[in-house]
Amino acid sequence: MVLPACGGGGGTGVSFNIPAGTPPENIIKLGVIGPMQYLDGRQHWEGATLAAEHINKDGGVKVGDKTYFFTLIKADSNELNSITDASSAMEKLITVDKAQFVMGGIRTEAVTPMQEIAMDNKTIFLGCGAATASLNSVVKSNYDRYKYWFRVTPFVSAKLVDNTIMEIAMAGAIIKEETGIKRPLRVAICAEGAQWADSMTGMMNAWVKSKLHMEVSGTWRPSPNATELTAEMTAIQTANTDIICPITSGPMGIPYGRSWGELKVPAASVGINVEAQGLNYWEATNHFGNFDTGLSSYAQDVAPTPLTVPYFNEFVERFKEVPSYTSGTYDAIYILKLALESAGTLDADAVVVALEKTATTTTVSPHFAFTGMDAPLGNPHDVNYGPGANTGLANQWQDGKLVGVWPNAAYADASVAAGYDPAWKEVNYPGIVKWMPNPTVVDKLKAEAATEPAAPPPTEVPVTPPAGGQPAAGGLHVPSATYTNDKLGFSFQYPKDWVTDPSLLTTPYHVADFRVSAFVPVAVASAWDQDAPITAEWFAAAFGKLGVTDYKLKSDVIDDKTADGTPAKRVHVKYTTATGYEALADAIAVDKPGGKRIMLHVYTVDAFDPYVEANHLEILHTLTLTK
Amino acid sequence: MIEGIIVQTLVKGSVYALLALGFALIFGVARVLQLSHTSFYMLAAYGLFAFTDAAWLGKYPFVSNPGVAIVLSILITTGIGLAVYKLLIDRVREHHVTVMLITLAVAMAFQQIMLIVFSGQYSSAPSFLTGYLEILGVKVAFQNLLVFAGAAVVLLIVWVLLSKTRLGIAIRATAQDTEIANLMGIDVSTILFVVMGISTALAAIAGVLVAPTLVLEPGMLWSPFVMVMAIITLGGLGSIKGSVIGAFILACVEVLVVFLVPTGAFLKGAVALLVMVVVLIFRPEGLFGIIFEEERL
């Protein structure tokens, strides 16, 4: 028996398979919020619809001694066009439509205010679209307020980069195998100019070189709403690129694929292109998207878990579309069901505790669970990731079929060589097929390989300065640049390829910063009044004023000196950055006679760029007081 | 690299020129700031997509023939443009702010209608020509060459129309002084109606030419909207020559950003607008416009 549509006001309330006569108090209202006029939002709704139908049909949810049934309330966030629309939709969903649990969202810029509204109302919000770390780091920094937030899909953006790197590693291995080319392959990064792609772009730039030992031919940042990319594609080809790594979730993915294919750009396309995950992509690119490869959650006949293929097939049959990651609302509702049954109550605080303990099999993970407060990236309530859990997939268009090509155990050596867990060799999903390079890149590289001179012996690039971190006579062990502040009277050196990032200068104390572009490590200079001695307490207070959280001194205050011999104090610190990552930092502070106190600190996020104390100290010890 | 910049500038500039020309024409002649101009470009692009979508036109294969689809898209869009002019603009034509508000509302209404009819799913019209040609070592898709050639032909036709025909003389006379043109026996009302038709048709032609190279989505009208505003301001409001030259200047700026500052490629529109601002600071009337003070006399 199916009830007719009910209630909802601006949102459309619909009930599925709820038995006739079910009293309203036995119905749980689930709010599904997303850009409903677009594929992402539509799939939020469609995934949730299937789950609610199945659960209700199978007898509902047993909470304590009562049986409940799920109803869904649709809310159009319109977040691809308007952040304020998203906030209004969430406000209404919770306060007017009385949704008891909410799920969905896709754009970080919109999900962040939506998250605030849900937390204000102590409403559990199951994120099903936004990948940014900061959405989860707030759970750690302010648990009491943000504990109602959980991310079900996708996994955190840093892990999307890991997958992209491994995807490119596999592609590189196959390209070299098929063409015989010896030289390092050249990768162009073509990432849309959106917040979620900023940090990923920086990480890709660094890791393509350090993990894959490939070269970066350039980085292009088109608008996420770009409707044509022929100029970018011409420039990418001019840069002699072998692999293009798109990072896009917007409409840009379609003109990207079409230009790439139509112009027969002699480079493989391997990265993240959300539009390429949909069946519409093949026609929308006029079939020019052939061989395009991108990360995905689902692939035809690929079975990370026993639930995957039945879900995939039902979804395709019902909605005539391949499920994408935002259809993870399906898993979200099943996870919520388990938590409700375990908690035995609808009380949000009790359900939070139950969700934290929930472990189950979903359509994408054989062992799904949420990360705990000790998560390495400082991201509790996030998707647990890795071999044996949620790995993600990569799909490739091969002659009109969207097939799963990664993870491929046969080429897992390439991932291990890039520094990833050898357990990836054990990830062997049924249905995965071999990735195919496009003929244009094969032809180009085969021709080049035929005339390629023998590979020169590999040259070792020094990455670590002499132990002890004492000031090097000539400054840094890598090419350096010098920052000089005439007004405050100090200078320091930093690696020449680092760039300044004004977005990090967020307090009146900040003076200057330099970093690996959009990535770590970062060197930050700050200026202070000399109103107290330089003690452990002062260092702790200073970091607090710089806007970081969870700061903890990991060493005693050490007597040190600057490059000009002025006595200084140094300390090793651990803290959470404003973007939510756990940072390891070294700081040096010195009082300038008759002037300000200057503090210089260098930090990294160990999970991305391993902490090497000597590298930090080398920069700190270039601090010089000038007249 | 220079070859790539030149070729891409010509392709991109030709589309902007087509759009800007239509806008400049209707403003120059009727003094109508027609803010729904690029919505006709969007409607024509969707028209081409709809007519060539064999899924719903299985019974009418004739309609999905590319040539027929193009003609139908242009004609229907032009018809819609004329209807908008006659029903909404003509009666308030003398009230410039009212015209601006009405045409802006029309643009937003068309966007919402397309969202309801076609949803927000990104679509693409099939290419008339596939493959590419290498020019100066730069690969240019045949479809883009078609856009360039089509734009060149249309611009030539418009130039001939305006400079060599009686209709063109009447249009120019009306543009110079409506009242005197009326006294000279020119049916100004009809001329304005015809100019609106030409203007809309130019937007529609641009739409069908570039539809196979773009992602179609209901918000696609806004990006060229901003650029067209910038181009006609840069070229000089109402100046046909200025709008064409302005189109190629701003297209060149956009392409330069992509080639020279690739990490800031998403800022190409903003940089183009900045160039416009800088030019206007030194030449407020635009490159080929009439100085404001003179215009008021």
Side-chain angles (χ1 to χ4, degrees), chain A residues 37-38 42 219 221 228 230 234 255 258 263-264 275 280 284, chain B residues 8 12 120-122 124 127 132 139 212-215 262-263 266:
Chain A
Q37 298 296 334
Y38 294 85
R42 219 169 48 235
T219 301
R221 302 296 306 274
E228 61 88 27
T230 48
T234 304
R258 193 171 45 209
L263 298 178
K264 295 189 188 305
E275 279 300 313
N280 176 55
Chain B
Q8 291 301 329
K12 193 179 271 282
Q121 179 156 307
Y122 307 123
S124 180
S127 295
Y132 63 87
K139 291 177 179 175
T213 70
L214 295 181
V215 176
T263 52
F266 62 96

PDB file of all heavy atoms in Angstrom, chain A residues 37-38 42 219 221 228 230 234 255 258 263-264 275 280 284, chain B residues 8 12 120-122 124 127 132 139 212-215 262-263 266:
ATOM      1  N   GLN A  37      17.400  20.317  -9.234  1.00  0.00           N
ATOM      2  CA  GLN A  37      17.254  20.469 -10.687  1.00  0.00           C
ATOM      3  C   GLN A  37      18.482  19.911 -11.411  1.00  0.00           C
ATOM      4  O   GLN A  37      18.535  19.934 -12.642  1.00  0.00           O
ATOM      5  CB  GLN A  37      17.094  21.945 -11.055  1.00  0.00           C
ATOM      6  CG  GLN A  37      15.861  22.608 -10.457  1.00  0.00           C
ATOM      7  CD  GLN A  37      14.572  22.002 -10.979  1.00  0.00           C
ATOM      8  OE1 GLN A  37      14.536  21.451 -12.065  1.00  0.00           O
ATOM      9  NE2 GLN A  37      13.517  22.084 -10.196  1.00  0.00           N
ATOM     10  N   TYR A  38      19.459  19.458 -10.663  1.00  0.00           N
ATOM     11  CA  TYR A  38      20.700  18.976 -11.269  1.00  0.00           C
ATOM     12  C   TYR A  38      20.928  17.515 -10.888  1.00  0.00           C
ATOM     13  O   TYR A  38      20.323  16.996  -9.946  1.00  0.00           O
ATOM     14  CB  TYR A  38      21.888  19.840 -10.816  1.00  0.00           C
ATOM     15  CG  TYR A  38      21.790  21.255 -11.319  1.00  0.00           C
ATOM     16  CD1 TYR A  38      21.057  22.210 -10.627  1.00  0.00           C
ATOM     17  CD2 TYR A  38      22.385  21.628 -12.519  1.00  0.00           C
ATOM     18  CE1 TYR A  38      20.931  23.509 -11.102  1.00  0.00           C
ATOM     19  CE2 TYR A  38      22.285  22.930 -12.994  1.00  0.00           C
ATOM     20  CZ  TYR A  38      21.556  23.866 -12.292  1.00  0.00           C
ATOM     21  OH  TYR A  38      21.433  25.144 -12.768  1.00  0.00           O
ATOM     22  N   ARG A  42      19.360  15.315  -7.822  1.00  0.00           N
ATOM     23  CA  ARG A  42      18.415  14.265  -8.245  1.00  0.00           C
ATOM     24  C   ARG A  42      18.844  12.919  -7.676  1.00  0.00           C
ATOM     25  O   ARG A  42      18.025  12.128  -7.220  1.00  0.00           O
ATOM     26  CB  ARG A  42      18.366  14.239  -9.772  1.00  0.00           C
ATOM     27  CG  ARG A  42      16.980  14.012 -10.309  1.00  0.00           C
ATOM     28  CD  ARG A  42      16.851  14.236 -11.782  1.00  0.00           C
ATOM     29  NE  ARG A  42      17.852  13.596 -12.576  1.00  0.00           N
ATOM     30  CZ  ARG A  42      18.633  14.227 -13.442  1.00  0.00           C
ATOM     31  NH1 ARG A  42      18.496  15.512 -13.586  1.00  0.00           N
ATOM     32  NH2 ARG A  42      19.516  13.576 -14.160  1.00  0.00           N
ATOM     33  N   THR A 219      49.590  23.937 -14.699  1.00  0.00           N
ATOM     34  CA  THR A 219      48.334  23.854 -13.957  1.00  0.00           C
ATOM     35  C   THR A 219      47.361  24.870 -14.525  1.00  0.00           C
ATOM     36  O   THR A 219      47.689  26.052 -14.612  1.00  0.00           O
ATOM     37  CB  THR A 219      48.563  24.148 -12.459  1.00  0.00           C
ATOM     38  OG1 THR A 219      49.506  23.198 -11.953  1.00  0.00           O
ATOM     39  CG2 THR A 219      47.277  24.033 -11.674  1.00  0.00           C
ATOM     40  N   ARG A 221      43.377  26.434 -14.268  1.00  0.00           N
ATOM     41  CA  ARG A 221      42.235  26.528 -13.355  1.00  0.00           C
ATOM     42  C   ARG A 221      41.079  27.224 -14.053  1.00  0.00           C
ATOM     43  O   ARG A 221      40.778  28.382 -13.794  1.00  0.00           O
ATOM     44  CB  ARG A 221      42.620  27.319 -12.097  1.00  0.00           C
ATOM     45  CG  ARG A 221      43.784  26.798 -11.270  1.00  0.00           C
ATOM     46  CD  ARG A 221      43.531  25.439 -10.643  1.00  0.00           C
ATOM     47  NE  ARG A 221      42.319  25.344  -9.856  1.00  0.00           N
ATOM     48  CZ  ARG A 221      42.219  25.680  -8.571  1.00  0.00           C
ATOM     49  NH1 ARG A 221      43.258  26.151  -7.926  1.00  0.00           N
ATOM     50  NH2 ARG A 221      41.074  25.530  -7.913  1.00  0.00           N
ATOM     51  N   GLU A 228      33.213  26.137 -22.488  1.00  0.00           N
ATOM     52  CA  GLU A 228      34.106  25.640 -23.538  1.00  0.00           C
ATOM     53  C   GLU A 228      35.555  25.818 -23.087  1.00  0.00           C
ATOM     54  O   GLU A 228      35.878  26.747 -22.345  1.00  0.00           O
ATOM     55  CB  GLU A 228      33.820  26.332 -24.882  1.00  0.00           C
ATOM     56  CG  GLU A 228      34.020  27.825 -24.892  1.00  0.00           C
ATOM     57  CD  GLU A 228      35.440  28.201 -25.233  1.00  0.00           C
ATOM     58  OE1 GLU A 228      36.091  27.411 -25.939  1.00  0.00           O
ATOM     59  OE2 GLU A 228      35.896  29.263 -24.790  1.00  0.00           O
ATOM     60  N   THR A 230      38.466  25.149 -25.328  1.00  0.00           N
ATOM     61  CA  THR A 230      39.401  24.913 -26.426  1.00  0.00           C
ATOM     62  C   THR A 230      40.714  25.670 -26.212  1.00  0.00           C
ATOM     63  O   THR A 230      41.779  25.158 -26.549  1.00  0.00           O
ATOM     64  CB  THR A 230      38.781  25.328 -27.771  1.00  0.00           C
ATOM     65  OG1 THR A 230      38.220  26.627 -27.617  1.00  0.00           O
ATOM     66  CG2 THR A 230      37.707  24.362 -28.206  1.00  0.00           C
ATOM     67  N   THR A 234      44.262  23.791 -26.014  1.00  0.00           N
ATOM     68  CA  THR A 234      45.363  24.150 -26.913  1.00  0.00           C
ATOM     69  C   THR A 234      46.623  24.441 -26.118  1.00  0.00           C
ATOM     70  O   THR A 234      47.724  23.992 -26.471  1.00  0.00           O
ATOM     71  CB  THR A 234      44.975  25.395 -27.747  1.00  0.00           C
ATOM     72  OG1 THR A 234      43.764  25.112 -28.437  1.00  0.00           O
ATOM     73  CG2 THR A 234      46.049  25.746 -28.755  1.00  0.00           C
ATOM     74  N   PRO A 255      32.674  20.043 -21.744  1.00  0.00           N
ATOM     75  CA  PRO A 255      33.513  20.635 -22.799  1.00  0.00           C
ATOM     76  C   PRO A 255      34.963  20.180 -22.699  1.00  0.00           C
ATOM     77  O   PRO A 255      35.664  20.095 -23.701  1.00  0.00           O
ATOM     78  CB  PRO A 255      33.394  22.141 -22.572  1.00  0.00           C
ATOM     79  CG  PRO A 255      32.871  22.312 -21.197  1.00  0.00           C
ATOM     80  CD  PRO A 255      32.055  21.090 -20.908  1.00  0.00           C
ATOM     81  N   ARG A 258      34.994  16.852 -24.476  1.00  0.00           N
ATOM     82  CA  ARG A 258      34.746  16.985 -25.917  1.00  0.00           C
ATOM     83  C   ARG A 258      35.947  17.612 -26.619  1.00  0.00           C
ATOM     84  O   ARG A 258      36.367  17.136 -27.684  1.00  0.00           O
ATOM     85  CB  ARG A 258      33.482  17.819 -26.151  1.00  0.00           C
ATOM     86  CG  ARG A 258      33.008  17.733 -27.582  1.00  0.00           C
ATOM     87  CD  ARG A 258      31.663  18.368 -27.765  1.00  0.00           C
ATOM     88  NE  ARG A 258      31.609  19.642 -27.076  1.00  0.00           N
ATOM     89  CZ  ARG A 258      30.505  20.163 -26.573  1.00  0.00           C
ATOM     90  NH1 ARG A 258      29.376  19.516 -26.671  1.00  0.00           N
ATOM     91  NH2 ARG A 258      30.531  21.337 -25.969  1.00  0.00           N
ATOM     92  N   LEU A 263      39.896  17.270 -30.532  1.00  0.00           N
ATOM     93  CA  LEU A 263      41.198  17.773 -31.002  1.00  0.00           C
ATOM     94  C   LEU A 263      42.269  16.692 -30.960  1.00  0.00           C
ATOM     95  O   LEU A 263      43.430  16.949 -31.278  1.00  0.00           O
ATOM     96  CB  LEU A 263      41.639  18.976 -30.164  1.00  0.00           C
ATOM     97  CG  LEU A 263      40.723  20.199 -30.222  1.00  0.00           C
ATOM     98  CD1 LEU A 263      41.243  21.306 -29.316  1.00  0.00           C
ATOM     99  CD2 LEU A 263      40.574  20.713 -31.641  1.00  0.00           C
ATOM    100  N   LYS A 264      41.846  15.487 -30.567  1.00  0.00           N
ATOM    101  CA  LYS A 264      42.791  14.356 -30.466  1.00  0.00           C
ATOM    102  C   LYS A 264      44.073  14.779 -29.746  1.00  0.00           C
ATOM    103  O   LYS A 264      45.195  14.568 -30.247  1.00  0.00           O
ATOM    104  CB  LYS A 264      43.114  13.796 -31.858  1.00  0.00           C
ATOM    105  CG  LYS A 264      41.912  13.168 -32.566  1.00  0.00           C
ATOM    106  CD  LYS A 264      42.343  12.446 -33.819  1.00  0.00           C
ATOM    107  CE  LYS A 264      41.182  11.968 -34.658  1.00  0.00           C
ATOM    108  NZ  LYS A 264      40.216  11.118 -33.968  1.00  0.00           N
ATOM    109  N   GLU A 275      31.131  14.704 -14.104  1.00  0.00           N
ATOM    110  CA  GLU A 275      30.189  14.596 -15.219  1.00  0.00           C
ATOM    111  C   GLU A 275      30.426  13.318 -16.033  1.00  0.00           C
ATOM    112  O   GLU A 275      29.499  12.754 -16.595  1.00  0.00           O
ATOM    113  CB  GLU A 275      30.305  15.822 -16.127  1.00  0.00           C
ATOM    114  CG  GLU A 275      29.566  17.031 -15.622  1.00  0.00           C
ATOM    115  CD  GLU A 275      28.075  16.802 -15.462  1.00  0.00           C
ATOM    116  OE1 GLU A 275      27.463  16.250 -16.384  1.00  0.00           O
ATOM    117  OE2 GLU A 275      27.529  17.152 -14.412  1.00  0.00           O
ATOM    118  N   ASN A 280      24.928  10.213 -19.456  1.00  0.00           N
ATOM    119  CA  ASN A 280      24.701  11.355 -20.342  1.00  0.00           C
ATOM    120  C   ASN A 280      25.995  11.856 -20.993  1.00  0.00           C
ATOM    121  O   ASN A 280      25.972  12.458 -22.062  1.00  0.00           O
ATOM    122  CB  ASN A 280      24.046  12.477 -19.521  1.00  0.00           C
ATOM    123  CG  ASN A 280      23.853  13.741 -20.305  1.00  0.00           C
ATOM    124  OD1 ASN A 280      23.238  13.711 -21.350  1.00  0.00           O
ATOM    125  ND2 ASN A 280      24.386  14.850 -19.813  1.00  0.00           N
ATOM    126  N   ALA A 284      26.670  13.698 -24.516  1.00  0.00           N
ATOM    127  CA  ALA A 284      26.951  15.130 -24.343  1.00  0.00           C
ATOM    128  C   ALA A 284      28.300  15.518 -24.941  1.00  0.00           C
ATOM    129  O   ALA A 284      28.505  16.662 -25.338  1.00  0.00           O
ATOM    130  CB  ALA A 284      26.910  15.504 -22.863  1.00  0.00           C
TER     131      ALA A 284
ATOM    132  N   GLN B   8      42.847  31.095 -31.312  1.00  0.00           N
ATOM    133  CA  GLN B   8      41.766  31.049 -30.324  1.00  0.00           C
ATOM    134  C   GLN B   8      41.075  32.406 -30.192  1.00  0.00           C
ATOM    135  O   GLN B   8      39.866  32.474 -29.962  1.00  0.00           O
ATOM    136  CB  GLN B   8      42.326  30.608 -28.962  1.00  0.00           C
ATOM    137  CG  GLN B   8      42.770  29.154 -28.911  1.00  0.00           C
ATOM    138  CD  GLN B   8      41.643  28.190 -29.224  1.00  0.00           C
ATOM    139  OE1 GLN B   8      40.489  28.465 -28.948  1.00  0.00           O
ATOM    140  NE2 GLN B   8      41.985  27.075 -29.836  1.00  0.00           N
ATOM    141  N   LYS B  12      37.020  32.745 -30.653  1.00  0.00           N
ATOM    142  CA  LYS B  12      36.217  33.258 -29.538  1.00  0.00           C
ATOM    143  C   LYS B  12      35.664  34.650 -29.858  1.00  0.00           C
ATOM    144  O   LYS B  12      34.504  34.956 -29.575  1.00  0.00           O
ATOM    145  CB  LYS B  12      37.098  33.322 -28.282  1.00  0.00           C
ATOM    146  CG  LYS B  12      36.336  33.537 -26.995  1.00  0.00           C
ATOM    147  CD  LYS B  12      37.290  33.572 -25.827  1.00  0.00           C
ATOM    148  CE  LYS B  12      37.537  32.209 -25.244  1.00  0.00           C
ATOM    149  NZ  LYS B  12      36.447  31.738 -24.389  1.00  0.00           N
ATOM    150  N   GLY B 120      18.222  20.830 -15.086  1.00  0.00           N
ATOM    151  CA  GLY B 120      19.564  21.428 -15.070  1.00  0.00           C
ATOM    152  C   GLY B 120      20.617  20.505 -15.646  1.00  0.00           C
ATOM    153  O   GLY B 120      21.806  20.788 -15.551  1.00  0.00           O
ATOM    154  N   GLN B 121      20.165  19.382 -16.216  1.00  0.00           N
ATOM    155  CA  GLN B 121      21.153  18.431 -16.754  1.00  0.00           C
ATOM    156  C   GLN B 121      21.934  19.066 -17.894  1.00  0.00           C
ATOM    157  O   GLN B 121      21.364  19.672 -18.791  1.00  0.00           O
ATOM    158  CB  GLN B 121      20.437  17.182 -17.253  1.00  0.00           C
ATOM    159  CG  GLN B 121      21.383  16.153 -17.841  1.00  0.00           C
ATOM    160  CD  GLN B 121      20.778  14.756 -17.788  1.00  0.00           C
ATOM    161  OE1 GLN B 121      20.343  14.288 -16.757  1.00  0.00           O
ATOM    162  NE2 GLN B 121      20.758  14.103 -18.929  1.00  0.00           N
ATOM    163  N   TYR B 122      23.248  18.890 -17.829  1.00  0.00           N
ATOM    164  CA  TYR B 122      24.097  19.469 -18.857  1.00  0.00           C
ATOM    165  C   TYR B 122      23.926  18.672 -20.148  1.00  0.00           C
ATOM    166  O   TYR B 122      24.011  17.452 -20.157  1.00  0.00           O
ATOM    167  CB  TYR B 122      25.552  19.462 -18.406  1.00  0.00           C
ATOM    168  CG  TYR B 122      25.736  20.100 -17.058  1.00  0.00           C
ATOM    169  CD1 TYR B 122      26.313  19.402 -16.011  1.00  0.00           C
ATOM    170  CD2 TYR B 122      25.304  21.397 -16.812  1.00  0.00           C
ATOM    171  CE1 TYR B 122      26.462  19.981 -14.754  1.00  0.00           C
ATOM    172  CE2 TYR B 122      25.456  21.980 -15.572  1.00  0.00           C
ATOM    173  CZ  TYR B 122      26.033  21.272 -14.543  1.00  0.00           C
ATOM    174  OH  TYR B 122      26.167  21.854 -13.304  1.00  0.00           O
ATOM    175  N   SER B 124      24.294  18.717 -24.744  1.00  0.00           N
ATOM    176  CA  SER B 124      25.135  19.180 -25.832  1.00  0.00           C
ATOM    177  C   SER B 124      24.455  18.861 -27.151  1.00  0.00           C
ATOM    178  O   SER B 124      23.908  17.777 -27.320  1.00  0.00           O
ATOM    179  CB  SER B 124      26.495  18.475 -25.754  1.00  0.00           C
ATOM    180  OG  SER B 124      27.317  18.896 -26.794  1.00  0.00           O
ATOM    181  N   SER B 127      27.620  17.949 -33.170  1.00  0.00           N
ATOM    182  CA  SER B 127      28.423  18.777 -34.066  1.00  0.00           C
ATOM    183  C   SER B 127      27.953  18.589 -35.501  1.00  0.00           C
ATOM    184  O   SER B 127      27.577  17.498 -35.908  1.00  0.00           O
ATOM    185  CB  SER B 127      29.897  18.366 -33.982  1.00  0.00           C
ATOM    186  OG  SER B 127      30.401  18.622 -32.709  1.00  0.00           O
ATOM    187  N   TYR B 132      39.335  18.066 -36.901  1.00  0.00           N
ATOM    188  CA  TYR B 132      40.023  19.340 -36.722  1.00  0.00           C
ATOM    189  C   TYR B 132      40.966  19.611 -37.891  1.00  0.00           C
ATOM    190  O   TYR B 132      41.270  18.729 -38.702  1.00  0.00           O
ATOM    191  CB  TYR B 132      40.814  19.345 -35.413  1.00  0.00           C
ATOM    192  CG  TYR B 132      41.914  18.309 -35.358  1.00  0.00           C
ATOM    193  CD1 TYR B 132      43.191  18.573 -35.857  1.00  0.00           C
ATOM    194  CD2 TYR B 132      41.675  17.049 -34.819  1.00  0.00           C
ATOM    195  CE1 TYR B 132      44.188  17.623 -35.818  1.00  0.00           C
ATOM    196  CE2 TYR B 132      42.663  16.087 -34.771  1.00  0.00           C
ATOM    197  CZ  TYR B 132      43.926  16.378 -35.274  1.00  0.00           C
ATOM    198  OH  TYR B 132      44.897  15.429 -35.243  1.00  0.00           O
ATOM    199  N   LYS B 139      45.680  22.984 -33.445  1.00  0.00           N
ATOM    200  CA  LYS B 139      44.502  22.216 -33.828  1.00  0.00           C
ATOM    201  C   LYS B 139      43.244  23.049 -33.591  1.00  0.00           C
ATOM    202  O   LYS B 139      43.014  23.508 -32.475  1.00  0.00           O
ATOM    203  CB  LYS B 139      44.431  20.932 -33.024  1.00  0.00           C
ATOM    204  CG  LYS B 139      45.506  19.915 -33.360  1.00  0.00           C
ATOM    205  CD  LYS B 139      45.384  18.711 -32.453  1.00  0.00           C
ATOM    206  CE  LYS B 139      46.437  17.670 -32.788  1.00  0.00           C
ATOM    207  NZ  LYS B 139      46.397  16.536 -31.839  1.00  0.00           N
ATOM    208  N   PRO B 212      26.966  23.345 -30.570  1.00  0.00           N
ATOM    209  CA  PRO B 212      27.688  22.065 -30.532  1.00  0.00           C
ATOM    210  C   PRO B 212      29.041  22.146 -29.821  1.00  0.00           C
ATOM    211  O   PRO B 212      29.646  21.112 -29.551  1.00  0.00           O
ATOM    212  CB  PRO B 212      27.885  21.741 -32.019  1.00  0.00           C
ATOM    213  CG  PRO B 212      26.873  22.555 -32.741  1.00  0.00           C
ATOM    214  CD  PRO B 212      26.749  23.803 -31.950  1.00  0.00           C
ATOM    215  N   THR B 213      29.503  23.345 -29.538  1.00  0.00           N
ATOM    216  CA  THR B 213      30.810  23.450 -28.869  1.00  0.00           C
ATOM    217  C   THR B 213      30.666  23.752 -27.380  1.00  0.00           C
ATOM    218  O   THR B 213      31.649  23.842 -26.669  1.00  0.00           O
ATOM    219  CB  THR B 213      31.665  24.585 -29.492  1.00  0.00           C
ATOM    220  OG1 THR B 213      31.072  25.844 -29.146  1.00  0.00           O
ATOM    221  CG2 THR B 213      31.750  24.469 -30.997  1.00  0.00           C
ATOM    222  N   LEU B 214      29.431  23.922 -26.920  1.00  0.00           N
ATOM    223  CA  LEU B 214      29.207  24.352 -25.537  1.00  0.00           C
ATOM    224  C   LEU B 214      28.463  23.300 -24.733  1.00  0.00           C
ATOM    225  O   LEU B 214      27.883  22.377 -25.286  1.00  0.00           O
ATOM    226  CB  LEU B 214      28.351  25.627 -25.518  1.00  0.00           C
ATOM    227  CG  LEU B 214      28.914  26.897 -26.112  1.00  0.00           C
ATOM    228  CD1 LEU B 214      27.895  28.007 -25.934  1.00  0.00           C
ATOM    229  CD2 LEU B 214      30.212  27.283 -25.440  1.00  0.00           C
ATOM    230  N   VAL B 215      28.469  23.504 -23.434  1.00  0.00           N
ATOM    231  CA  VAL B 215      27.560  22.762 -22.565  1.00  0.00           C
ATOM    232  C   VAL B 215      26.282  23.581 -22.482  1.00  0.00           C
ATOM    233  O   VAL B 215      26.333  24.775 -22.213  1.00  0.00           O
ATOM    234  CB  VAL B 215      28.144  22.624 -21.151  1.00  0.00           C
ATOM    235  CG1 VAL B 215      27.145  21.935 -20.239  1.00  0.00           C
ATOM    236  CG2 VAL B 215      29.423  21.846 -21.196  1.00  0.00           C
ATOM    237  N   PRO B 262      47.952  30.389 -16.515  1.00  0.00           N
ATOM    238  CA  PRO B 262      47.020  29.251 -16.538  1.00  0.00           C
ATOM    239  C   PRO B 262      46.370  28.966 -15.195  1.00  0.00           C
ATOM    240  O   PRO B 262      45.218  28.539 -15.145  1.00  0.00           O
ATOM    241  CB  PRO B 262      47.895  28.077 -16.987  1.00  0.00           C
ATOM    242  CG  PRO B 262      49.301  28.513 -16.808  1.00  0.00           C
ATOM    243  CD  PRO B 262      49.303  29.997 -16.941  1.00  0.00           C
ATOM    244  N   THR B 263      47.095  29.228 -14.080  1.00  0.00           N
ATOM    245  CA  THR B 263      46.474  28.940 -12.784  1.00  0.00           C
ATOM    246  C   THR B 263      45.371  29.944 -12.451  1.00  0.00           C
ATOM    247  O   THR B 263      44.605  29.736 -11.526  1.00  0.00           O
ATOM    248  CB  THR B 263      47.508  28.957 -11.645  1.00  0.00           C
ATOM    249  OG1 THR B 263      48.224  30.191 -11.716  1.00  0.00           O
ATOM    250  CG2 THR B 263      48.491  27.803 -11.775  1.00  0.00           C
ATOM    251  N   PHE B 266      40.411  30.792 -14.477  1.00  0.00           N
ATOM    252  CA  PHE B 266      39.026  31.076 -14.104  1.00  0.00           C
ATOM    253  C   PHE B 266      38.774  32.569 -13.938  1.00  0.00           C
ATOM    254  O   PHE B 266      37.633  33.009 -13.829  1.00  0.00           O
ATOM    255  CB  PHE B 266      38.641  30.317 -12.822  1.00  0.00           C
ATOM    256  CG  PHE B 266      39.450  30.682 -11.617  1.00  0.00           C
ATOM    257  CD1 PHE B 266      38.985  31.618 -10.724  1.00  0.00           C
ATOM    258  CD2 PHE B 266      40.681  30.086 -11.370  1.00  0.00           C
ATOM    259  CE1 PHE B 266      39.735  31.964  -9.608  1.00  0.00           C
ATOM    260  CE2 PHE B 266      41.427  30.418 -10.254  1.00  0.00           C
ATOM    261  CZ  PHE B 266      40.955  31.369  -9.372  1.00  0.00           C
TER     262      PHE B 266
END
